[in-house]
Amino acid sequence: MKTLQDYIDKLNALNFKEMYENDFFLTWEKTDDELEAVWILADALRYMREHNISTKVFESGLGISLFRDNSTRTRFSFASACNLLGLEVQDLDEQKSQIAHGETVRETANMISFMADVIGIRDDMYIGKGNAYMHDVAAAVSQGHKDGILEQKPTLVNLQCDIDHPTQCMADAAHIMRELGGIKNLKGKKIAMTWAYSPSYGKPLSVPQGVIGLMTRLGMNVVLAHPEGYEVMPEVLDVAAKNAQKSGGSFSVTHNMADAFKDADVVYPKSWAPYAAMEIRTRLYGDGNQAGIDTLEKELLAQNADHTDWCCTESLMETTKDGKALYLHCLPADINGVSCSEGEVEASVFDRYRDSLYKEASYKPYVIAAMIMLAKFANPGETLKALEERAVPRKMK
Amino acid sequence: MKTLQDYIDKLNALNFKEMYENDFFLTWEKTDDELEAVWILADALRYMREHNISTKVFESGLGISLFRDNSTRTRFSFASACNLLGLEVQDLDEQKSQIAHGETVRETANMISFMADVIGIRDDMYIGKGNAYMHDVAAAVSQGHKDGILEQKPTLVNLQCDIDHPTQCMADAAHIMRELGGIKNLKGKKIAMTWAYSPSYGKPLSVPQGVIGLMTRLGMNVVLAHPEGYEVMPEVLDVAAKNAQKSGGSFSVTHNMADAFKDADVVYPKSWAPYAAMEIRTRLYGDGNQAGIDTLEKELLAQNADHTDWCCTESLMETTKDGKALYLHCLPADINGVSCSEGEVEASVFDRYRDSLYKEASYKPYVIAAMIMLAKFANPGETLKALEERAVPRKMK
Amino acid sequence: MKTLQDYIDKLNALNFKEMYENDFFLTWEKTDDELEAVWILADALRYMREHNISTKVFESGLGISLFRDNSTRTRFSFASACNLLGLEVQDLDEQKSQIAHGETVRETANMISFMADVIGIRDDMYIGKGNAYMHDVAAAVSQGHKDGILEQKPTLVNLQCDIDHPTQCMADAAHIMRELGGIKNLKGKKIAMTWAYSPSYGKPLSVPQGVIGLMTRLGMNVVLAHPEGYEVMPEVLDVAAKNAQKSGGSFSVTHNMADAFKDADVVYPKSWAPYAAMEIRTRLYGDGNQAGIDTLEKELLAQNADHTDWCCTESLMETTKDGKALYLHCLPADINGVSCSEGEVEASVFDRYRDSLYKEASYKPYVIAAMIMLAKFANPGETLKALEERAVPRKMK
């Protein structure tokens, strides 16, 4: 693409009107057109920033972030996205807040949203809870807007829940498209989403689930590989299977890492915790059963230790398509001899793909900004045009 | 009101020139005209935001917040107000700051204020301290400005002290005016500021004190009700009595909740700690007497438990004017069966007024923004006019 | 100077082209022209703010701060500088971040910098580490920019390392110039950078080192005074000696505070820890040797206690030039009878210079803003001109 108008034309050819005044929870709740609109708008925003055209569509307004888990990449991606559009980030730090015992989500959500245009939430720790909490927040502010309490409805952006990690997976997909030459080229390509060993435990399932839920949309042959006992949520397996059938791709599960890597165009080796164990842990936390949690942790670490051979090695990489599969990771990775003695990937593999991995991450701020714009602007193509005509430089000369 | 000019005309008819380059500590230190200016300007700013007219009067500048107590509502209200005017919030987190042992307030206040246009402080925990601290800060930066150290004098906004909670009470009053049909309609209306039971203890006195100190200005018949032993600061009782005499309203104290509710147009049932106990607690904290504090806490909880019948029930609500008094709360409330087993209000009462309560809270960002503008702009009417003519949208189309 | 053009003309006469797309680590890595450019641009930015001309050169962009030590003054100075130029501060709080064990600096630095224009770091606690860490970060983002990962290279500003505190010392120098009548007047003036007693221990060496490394550039007669055993880094002594030789000033070390104060035009009495002890402490921390650290602390406090007579007294001040030397401090100072019983300075001396000290501190935000602009704008003179012509007020009328 050469001009902003090219992006606008592509955008205008799509139907995404349901995204306006709406939220972004899971990629599989969105139509193909809607996902494509996110990618195109993300590219358009990047094009504009690269050409020093300000995309500040808000003169004032807050972007509220709530991180119930530590975060660097997503925190800075969300902050960057808000700033790019003109929103000021205000973090809801639950430890510094006067959120009363028993205070309803409905109340807190409305109280912080009088001037909020977006709420971004990460809540990925407990199975069955994170996504549900986000829906509670979104329902509360939608109701508040309808009832005349909030002048505007803040859009909710899922910054990682127990089910999906849509901003990550949409960025991953954007990167694959760029590397493989466009969305059309993804059809028939093989992607291996495989478990890998990590000396830590309890990593969220949202990335593997998000990847199989999204890449099956794009006509890819998606293979999910993991040792027995490391199953993901069955609902998401169903989603992946149905998606593959509809898109003309395929979806299969294997317990053999080598099979998954064989002739793969893209590999995504990454550790995660077994779904069943996470369900148990969620209950133990609910019961405040610390002894149970400690026991579970020991069991899970012992279980992990049986599978140290699930590592993305040079020999495995050689078995991929022309020995040159695109290696993906959401970062940080557990790198052999760097961040741990044995981990998810050999250092020489990681090093070779470092630039590529960093570029993969670079899509996230733009993906988030696109999600916000599609929810807040009825006609983003016109808005882009107006921004180009306004021609305010992001940075003066 | 229909046009911005209506607000400007109303504003221009008032005398508030003493607010310029000044601070906002207690409502009773302000004239009637000055309070009315806050309400009108707050409404004007809301009108402009609803009509998508940017009110960004600052291109740069900091709004400094210092919260010596947890806060969600006020924190986000202050952040929203600053953002609405173009100021970036910078929180002074005393735990992350290098404030030396024995460092003077004068020094810290100047060091953070080189580019600050407003300082908002919450310091409500210790009787005799919070308001005094705010005066120290305001005096320090005023002196700094006079001495040529600070190019501008940051205005101090009291976000809750030991005596008053002016941004809350001004928002409460704005809500009452809207619900009762304007400031003129408040004359002769009865408002019951009553204590209510809570299973926690030590809630600040600033809300009841602020309410009786403000509503008596408006010609209302203000009844303060609490069990014996839950007295508020005697100075504020004097303020309320004098205000009532001057405004043609009335002020009385009762130990009977039912009397207070009888035929009331507005009710504000809310827990607070006895003033005398808070004075003792302040001394115990000063002495570092933890055993004394623990004993006091037990005594206060036991004392509270004698008054679980002080609850805003449906039956009490029925005794109010037409059974339809406006129910107020600064939130979060202790709701029976929701946030506690027995508390300040029955769930069905709270539910019926939920939207109204949230709207009450929605005035706070605008009230704070108005206080800032009145302190920083010599002729806010002209500034509003200039903003309307500039016609920059808050959010692009 | 009377008009902005005067500043621009002065700026345009200097050669600072190597600062563009570069970083600011140590003052002695910069040419005389480059340092002068910082001072002139800082003055120009202050002039513009005083004349209510917005200097918002960025419409969007992040200013990232990383404080590995508590900070109030520098934190607010950095926030003010970023805000003045249009950048939004985003703090990297390593405690809330998901920075994996063993995660490389290269990775973290790139992950937070997709939309960052500046990174400000304070890392002053461990000898041999802070400055090295800053170089690692700067190298990582430079590489990221070259590799096409980052659209822009964020400039690194040293907000205090183990070697130098350039934003402080540049502000100190700006203050001296203003008080002594310009940079030309510094030649031949005597400045005493002397150790002073403090009841705490382990204060960074970066201020005394920064002062002797910078003031010797300006043709001043710089005397470093401290008790035996309180030596600073030998490399910096070399820097100071060479600077003095080149500038026609002088540099000497004495163990006699009175000698240093005698006829001094400027005095800077301030506590610091012995370099050798800090080296030992750095190793003990590296080894996790808490017992060793505790022992060292006791030894250092005992060593300090032998030198309580190193205090900036009224009698010492009388021996300075006309009894009126300019008294400097980076603040907060240990003031006798205020923040401690015995400390760095007598209260009456401190009080007499209070306004002057606060003005000294007021240069820091402008110095930081100038460092950022010189790194991000190829022709800052033209940018200033464009800002003047744009004539957007910082604060509306």
Side-chain angles (χ1 to χ4, degrees):
Chain A
M1 295 199 191
K2 290 293 165 49
T3 69
L4 185 64
Q5 192 58 48
D6 295 328
Y7 295 100
I8 294 172
D9 291 344
K10 279 210 149 193
L11 205 53
N12 287 343
L14 299 169
N15 176 7
F16 49 81
K17 61 179 190 295
E18 292 299 318
M19 298 184 88
Y20 182 59
E21 295 282 335
N22 215 325
D23 305 293
F24 206 111
F25 296 109
L26 308 173
T27 61
W28 47 90
E29 293 168 347
K30 300 292 174 191
T31 67
D32 289 351
D33 267 22
E34 289 169 354
L35 297 185
E36 201 168 344
V38 173
W39 287 312
I40 291 169
L41 186 49
D43 279 348
L45 290 169
R46 184 191 280 260
Y47 172 94
M48 293 176 82
R49 195 176 192 280
E50 284 172 356
H51 288 77
N52 200 32
I53 303 167
S54 168
T55 53
K56 199 166 175 177
V57 288
F58 295 97
E59 273 287 294
S60 71
L62 299 184
I64 294 172
S65 59
L66 170 52
F67 287 91
R68 290 181 149 178
D69 195 2
N70 281 343
S71 169
T72 305
R73 286 150 191 78
T74 304
R75 186 185 287 279
F76 275 81
S77 291
F78 183 73
S80 297
C82 286
N83 175 264
L84 186 68
L85 301 179
L87 299 174
E88 186 179 351
V89 173
Q90 183 72 10
D91 193 47
L92 175 58
D93 182 334
E94 291 180 303
Q95 253 138 27
K96 285 188 192 166
S97 295
Q98 189 198 15
I99 296 172
H101 176 71
E103 179 175 329
T104 58
V105 171
R106 181 167 170 187
E107 187 164 313
T108 312
N110 275 282
M111 291 302 107
I112 62 176
S113 296
F114 294 125
M115 295 195 188
D117 287 293
V118 54
I119 303 175
I121 301 180
R122 160 167 292 185
D123 187 346
D124 56 9
M125 300 289 278
Y126 306 117
I127 292 290
K129 304 227 164 157
N131 190 265
Y133 174 73
M134 291 177 197
H135 272 279
D136 287 349
V137 170
V141 295
S142 291
Q143 189 64 44
H145 180 53
K146 271 186 209 129
D147 292 347
I149 292 155
L150 304 179
E151 285 165 48
Q152 73 298 327
K153 182 195 119 49
T155 182
L156 195 137
V157 175
N158 172 0
L159 298 178
Q160 190 170 4
C161 72
D162 50 325
I163 305 175
D164 193 7
H165 193 343
T167 62
Q168 178 66 46
C169 298
M170 291 291 287
D172 296 339
H175 180 57
I176 299 175
M177 288 174 204
R178 180 73 60 107
E179 295 296 316
L180 269 60
I183 192 166
K184 303 286 182 231
N185 281 348
L186 270 57
K187 286 198 188 298
K189 294 291 193 306
K190 178 176 179 183
I191 178 169
M193 177 74 238
T194 95
W195 191 85
Y197 171 73
S198 160
S200 79
Y201 93 106
K203 297 205 177 182
L205 293 142
S206 48
V207 168
Q209 292 175 166
V211 166
I212 64 170
L214 178 59
M215 304 311 171
T216 47
R217 298 283 287 277
L218 306 172
M220 298 187 86
N221 296 318
V222 179
V223 180
L224 177 68
H226 57 76
E228 286 191 64
Y230 286 83
E231 281 70 28
V232 302
M233 293 174 79
E235 303 90 305
V236 184
L237 292 176
D238 286 349
V239 165
K242 278 180 195 150
N243 284 349
Q245 199 166 20
K246 201 175 157 197
S247 76
S250 68
F251 176 63
S252 60
V253 182
T254 171
H255 298 316
N256 186 314
M257 195 177 185
D259 284 354
F261 265 61
K262 181 94 181 90
D263 294 325
D265 299 277
V266 185
V267 296
Y268 205 140
K270 197 210 160 299
S271 189
W272 67 80
Y275 167 60
M278 288 301 95
E279 273 198 309
I280 294 169
R281 191 176 70 156
T282 302
R283 280 204 301 277
L284 292 169
Y285 269 108
D287 301 343
N289 183 346
Q290 189 59 46
I293 292 163
D294 293 346
T295 306
L296 180 67
E297 180 175 343
K298 270 184 209 149
E299 287 169 9
L300 288 171
L301 285 173
Q303 186 183 352
N304 270 13
D306 288 342
H307 306 292
T308 53
D309 54 326
W310 285 69
C311 179
C312 179
T313 59
E314 288 288 8
S315 353
L316 268 179
M317 286 302 292
E318 275 169 28
T319 69
T320 64
K321 184 71 167 294
D322 304 326
K324 289 185 180 168
L326 181 65
Y327 166 79
L328 301 184
H329 200 287
C330 54
L331 304 177
D334 286 318
I335 308 164
N336 295 7
V338 176
S339 42
C340 54
S341 58
E342 290 182 293
E344 298 170 321
V345 60
E346 283 183 359
S348 61
V349 175
F350 188 87
D351 280 352
R352 194 162 62 253
Y353 287 93
R354 185 192 305 277
D355 278 2
S356 174
L357 288 162
Y358 292 180
K359 280 179 191 164
E360 179 187 352
S362 78
Y363 290 92
K364 210 192 275 182
Y366 293 107
V367 159
I368 297 173
M371 288 174 179
I372 297 171
M373 265 196 83
L374 287 162
K376 301 295 293 184
F377 291 84
N379 196 326
E382 274 181 24
T383 310
L384 294 183
K385 195 77 203 155
L387 285 168
E388 191 180 38
E389 279 160 14
R390 190 176 69 176
V392 174
R394 180 193 81 83
K395 171 179 171 290
M396 283 179 72
K397 285 286 157 60
Chain B
M1 295 199 191
K2 290 292 164 50
T3 69
L4 186 63
Q5 191 58 48
D6 295 328
Y7 294 100
I8 295 172
D9 291 344
K10 277 211 152 194
L11 206 52
N12 288 342
L14 299 169
N15 175 8
F16 49 81
K17 61 180 191 295
E18 292 299 318
M19 297 184 90
Y20 182 59
E21 296 282 336
N22 214 325
D23 305 293
F24 205 112
F25 297 108
L26 307 173
T27 61
W28 47 91
E29 293 168 347
K30 300 292 173 190
T31 68
D32 290 351
D33 268 21
E34 288 169 353
L35 297 185
E36 200 167 344
V38 173
W39 289 311
I40 291 169
L41 186 48
D43 280 348
L45 291 169
R46 184 190 280 261
Y47 172 94
M48 293 176 83
R49 196 175 191 279
E50 285 172 356
H51 288 76
N52 200 32
I53 304 167
S54 168
T55 53
K56 199 167 175 175
V57 288
F58 295 97
E59 274 286 295
S60 71
L62 300 183
I64 295 172
S65 58
L66 169 52
F67 286 91
R68 291 182 147 176
D69 195 3
N70 281 343
S71 169
T72 304
R73 287 151 190 76
T74 303
R75 185 185 288 279
F76 275 81
S77 291
F78 183 73
S80 297
C82 286
N83 176 265
L84 186 69
L85 301 179
L87 299 174
E88 185 180 352
V89 173
Q90 184 70 11
D91 194 46
L92 175 58
D93 182 335
E94 291 179 303
Q95 254 139 26
K96 285 188 192 167
S97 296
Q98 189 199 15
I99 296 173
H101 176 72
E103 179 176 329
T104 58
V105 171
R106 182 168 170 186
E107 187 164 314
T108 311
N110 275 281
M111 292 301 106
I112 61 177
S113 296
F114 294 125
M115 296 195 188
D117 286 294
V118 55
I119 303 175
I121 301 180
R122 160 167 292 185
D123 187 346
D124 56 9
M125 300 288 278
Y126 306 117
I127 292 291
K129 304 226 164 156
N131 190 265
Y133 174 73
M134 292 178 196
H135 272 279
D136 287 349
V137 170
V141 294
S142 290
Q143 190 64 44
H145 180 53
K146 270 185 209 131
D147 292 346
I149 292 154
L150 304 179
E151 285 165 49
Q152 73 299 326
K153 183 195 119 49
T155 181
L156 195 137
V157 175
N158 172 0
L159 299 177
Q160 188 169 6
C161 71
D162 50 324
I163 304 175
D164 193 6
H165 192 343
T167 64
Q168 177 67 46
C169 298
M170 290 292 287
D172 296 338
H175 180 58
I176 299 175
M177 287 174 205
R178 180 72 60 110
E179 294 297 315
L180 268 60
I183 193 166
K184 303 287 184 232
N185 281 348
L186 271 56
K187 285 196 187 299
K189 295 292 193 305
K190 179 177 178 183
I191 177 168
M193 177 74 239
T194 94
W195 191 86
Y197 171 73
S198 160
S200 80
Y201 92 107
K203 298 206 175 180
L205 293 142
S206 48
V207 169
Q209 291 175 168
V211 166
I212 63 170
L214 178 60
M215 304 310 170
T216 47
R217 299 282 288 276
L218 305 171
M220 298 186 86
N221 297 318
V222 179
V223 181
L224 177 68
H226 56 77
E228 285 191 63
Y230 287 83
E231 282 69 28
V232 302
M233 292 174 81
E235 303 90 305
V236 184
L237 292 176
D238 286 350
V239 164
K242 279 178 196 152
N243 285 347
Q245 199 168 20
K246 200 175 157 197
S247 76
S250 68
F251 175 64
S252 60
V253 181
T254 171
H255 299 315
N256 186 312
M257 195 178 187
D259 283 354
F261 266 61
K262 180 94 180 89
D263 293 326
D265 299 277
V266 184
V267 295
Y268 205 139
K270 196 210 162 299
S271 189
W272 68 80
Y275 167 61
M278 288 302 94
E279 274 198 310
I280 294 168
R281 191 176 70 156
T282 301
R283 280 202 302 276
L284 292 168
Y285 270 107
D287 301 344
N289 183 348
Q290 189 58 46
I293 292 163
D294 294 345
T295 307
L296 180 67
E297 181 175 342
K298 271 184 208 150
E299 287 168 8
L300 288 171
L301 286 173
Q303 185 182 356
N304 270 13
D306 287 341
H307 307 291
T308 53
D309 55 324
W310 284 70
C311 178
C312 179
T313 60
E314 288 288 8
S315 353
L316 267 179
M317 286 304 291
E318 275 170 28
T319 68
T320 65
K321 185 72 166 292
D322 304 326
K324 289 185 179 166
L326 181 64
Y327 166 80
L328 300 184
H329 201 286
C330 53
L331 303 177
D334 287 318
I335 308 164
N336 295 7
V338 176
S339 42
C340 54
S341 58
E342 289 182 294
E344 297 169 319
V345 60
E346 283 183 0
S348 61
V349 175
F350 188 86
D351 280 351
R352 193 160 67 251
Y353 288 92
R354 185 191 305 277
D355 277 3
S356 174
L357 288 162
Y358 292 180
K359 281 179 191 163
E360 180 186 352
S362 76
Y363 289 92
K364 210 192 275 183
Y366 293 106
V367 159
I368 296 173
M371 288 174 178
I372 297 171
M373 266 196 82
L374 288 162
K376 301 296 293 185
F377 291 83
N379 195 327
E382 274 181 24
T383 309
L384 293 183
K385 196 77 201 157
L387 286 167
E388 191 179 40
E389 280 161 14
R390 191 178 70 178
V392 173
R394 180 192 81 83
K395 172 180 170 289
M396 282 178 73
K397 285 287 155 61
Chain C
M1 294 200 192
K2 291 292 166 47
T3 69
L4 185 63
Q5 192 58 48
D6 295 326
Y7 294 101
I8 295 172
D9 292 343
K10 278 211 151 193
L11 205 52
N12 288 342
L14 300 169
N15 175 7
F16 48 81
K17 60 180 192 294
E18 293 299 317
M19 298 185 90
Y20 182 59
E21 295 282 335
N22 214 325
D23 305 294
F24 206 111
F25 296 107
L26 307 173
T27 61
W28 47 91
E29 293 168 347
K30 301 292 174 191
T31 68
D32 290 350
D33 268 20
E34 288 169 354
L35 296 185
E36 200 167 345
V38 173
W39 288 313
I40 291 170
L41 186 49
D43 279 348
L45 291 169
R46 185 190 279 260
Y47 172 94
M48 293 176 83
R49 195 175 193 280
E50 285 171 356
H51 288 77
N52 200 31
I53 303 167
S54 169
T55 53
K56 199 166 175 177
V57 288
F58 295 97
E59 273 287 294
S60 70
L62 299 184
I64 295 172
S65 59
L66 169 51
F67 286 90
R68 291 182 148 177
D69 195 2
N70 281 342
S71 169
T72 304
R73 285 151 192 77
T74 303
R75 185 184 289 279
F76 275 82
S77 290
F78 183 72
S80 298
C82 286
N83 175 264
L84 186 69
L85 301 179
L87 300 174
E88 186 180 351
V89 173
Q90 183 70 11
D91 193 47
L92 174 58
D93 182 335
E94 291 178 304
Q95 254 139 26
K96 285 189 192 166
S97 295
Q98 189 198 13
I99 296 172
H101 176 72
E103 179 175 329
T104 59
V105 171
R106 182 167 169 186
E107 186 164 314
T108 312
N110 275 282
M111 291 302 107
I112 62 177
S113 295
F114 294 124
M115 296 195 188
D117 287 293
V118 54
I119 303 176
I121 301 180
R122 160 167 294 186
D123 187 346
D124 56 8
M125 299 289 277
Y126 307 117
I127 292 292
K129 306 227 162 156
N131 190 266
Y133 173 73
M134 291 178 196
H135 272 279
D136 287 349
V137 170
V141 295
S142 290
Q143 190 63 44
H145 180 52
K146 269 184 210 132
D147 293 347
I149 291 153
L150 304 179
E151 286 165 48
Q152 73 297 325
K153 183 194 117 50
T155 182
L156 195 136
V157 175
N158 173 0
L159 299 177
Q160 190 169 5
C161 71
D162 49 325
I163 305 175
D164 193 5
H165 193 343
T167 63
Q168 178 66 46
C169 297
M170 290 292 287
D172 296 339
H175 180 58
I176 298 175
M177 287 174 207
R178 180 72 61 108
E179 295 296 315
L180 268 60
I183 193 167
K184 304 286 182 233
N185 281 348
L186 270 57
K187 285 197 189 297
K189 294 291 193 306
K190 179 176 179 184
I191 177 169
M193 177 74 238
T194 94
W195 190 85
Y197 170 74
S198 160
S200 79
Y201 92 106
K203 297 206 176 179
L205 294 141
S206 48
V207 168
Q209 292 175 166
V211 165
I212 64 170
L214 178 60
M215 304 311 171
T216 46
R217 298 283 287 277
L218 306 171
M220 299 186 85
N221 297 317
V222 179
V223 181
L224 176 69
H226 56 76
E228 285 190 62
Y230 285 84
E231 282 70 27
V232 302
M233 293 175 79
E235 302 91 305
V236 184
L237 293 176
D238 285 350
V239 165
K242 279 179 196 149
N243 285 347
Q245 199 167 19
K246 201 175 157 197
S247 76
S250 67
F251 175 62
S252 60
V253 181
T254 171
H255 299 316
N256 187 313
M257 195 177 186
D259 284 354
F261 265 61
K262 180 97 180 90
D263 293 326
D265 299 278
V266 185
V267 296
Y268 205 139
K270 197 209 160 300
S271 189
W272 66 81
Y275 167 60
M278 288 302 93
E279 274 198 309
I280 295 168
R281 191 177 70 157
T282 301
R283 280 203 302 276
L284 292 169
Y285 269 108
D287 302 344
N289 183 346
Q290 189 58 47
I293 292 162
D294 293 346
T295 307
L296 180 68
E297 181 174 343
K298 271 183 209 151
E299 287 168 8
L300 288 171
L301 286 173
Q303 186 182 355
N304 270 12
D306 287 342
H307 307 291
T308 52
D309 54 325
W310 285 68
C311 178
C312 179
T313 59
E314 289 287 8
S315 351
L316 268 178
M317 286 303 291
E318 274 171 29
T319 68
T320 65
K321 184 72 167 295
D322 303 327
K324 287 185 179 168
L326 181 64
Y327 165 80
L328 301 185
H329 200 286
C330 54
L331 304 177
D334 287 319
I335 308 163
N336 295 7
V338 177
S339 42
C340 53
S341 59
E342 288 182 293
E344 298 170 319
V345 59
E346 283 184 0
S348 62
V349 175
F350 187 87
D351 280 352
R352 194 163 64 252
Y353 287 92
R354 185 191 305 277
D355 278 3
S356 175
L357 288 162
Y358 292 0
K359 281 179 191 166
E360 179 186 353
S362 76
Y363 289 92
K364 210 193 275 183
Y366 293 106
V367 160
I368 297 173
M371 287 174 179
I372 298 172
M373 267 196 82
L374 287 162
K376 302 295 294 184
F377 291 84
N379 195 327
E382 274 181 23
T383 309
L384 293 183
K385 195 77 202 156
L387 285 167
E388 190 180 40
E389 280 161 13
R390 191 178 69 177
V392 174
R394 180 193 82 83
K395 171 179 171 290
M396 283 178 72
K397 284 287 158 59

